[in-house]
Amino acid sequence: MRKILFLPMLLAAISILSCNSDDGAKAKNLSGKWALTGGSGTITGRVDAFSTGEITWTFHENHTVDIVNTVTDTARLSGLPSGTYHYAVSNSSEVQGCSTTVTVGPWTFGCATISSASVELADGFADGVGYTLIPMPQVVPLQ
């Protein structure tokens, strides 16, 4: 009798553990305000650096991102224009060696790496562009 009860409980535990919400976990890691600190790529291999706060991306749990881009030099790789966009994080094998894709509005970054320390977004093309974001420092008001 114990063996019969054990098997359904084991199967239930396996099914619960196998329900992996990578998408939700990755999207949750994005929540908050990030600073775009660099843009790189193109066929020339250029690299453009930006001061913290010059370009910010604020990801919200409702899958929108507010981008504030104060860079006016259009020749620099400063990323997307200011605005509010819908974003999605998904698993993908579109780009070899990359398992995560991030879509922001009409732009698709076929190779994304998301951690608590940084977000690396690249379009996945050899002569394409990529961007680096770091979390904005949290300012604690004085008491």
Side-chain angles (χ1 to χ4, degrees):
M1 185 72 152
R2 286 185 185 178
K3 289 181 185 179
I4 295 172
L5 289 176
F6 178 73
L7 184 57
M9 289 189 316
L10 178 63
L11 292 174
I14 289 171
S15 69
I16 290 170
L17 291 174
S18 67
C19 290
N20 187 350
S21 180
D22 274 351
D23 227 16
K26 288 177 184 170
K28 188 171 184 174
N29 286 345
L30 283 174
S31 291
K33 193 170 189 176
W34 298 79
L36 190 144
T37 57
S40 60
T42 74
I43 195 120
T44 63
R46 68 181 292 163
V47 176
D48 290 325
F50 303 99
S51 301
T52 302
E54 200 172 357
I55 304 166
T56 60
W57 294 32
T58 305
F59 290 91
H60 304 284
E61 291 183 14
N62 67 355
H63 292 275
T64 61
V65 57
D66 297 322
I67 296 176
V68 177
N69 185 341
T70 63
V71 175
T72 58
D73 183 351
T74 57
R76 297 180 73 199
L77 298 173
S78 64
L80 310 179
S82 294
T84 299
Y85 305 96
H86 175 74
Y87 78 91
V89 178
S90 59
N91 295 326
S92 173
S93 59
E94 184 178 315
V95 177
Q96 187 175 5
C98 294
S99 61
T100 303
T101 294
V102 173
T103 303
V104 178
W107 298 277
T108 298
F109 300 100
C111 190
T113 304
I114 302 168
S115 74
S116 59
S118 69
V119 174
E120 302 287 335
L121 301 173
D123 58 17
F125 300 110
D127 62 349
V129 295
Y131 303 101
T132 301
L133 295 100
I134 61 169
M136 289 287 289
Q138 298 295 318
V139 178
V140 179
L142 297 174
Q143 296 290 334

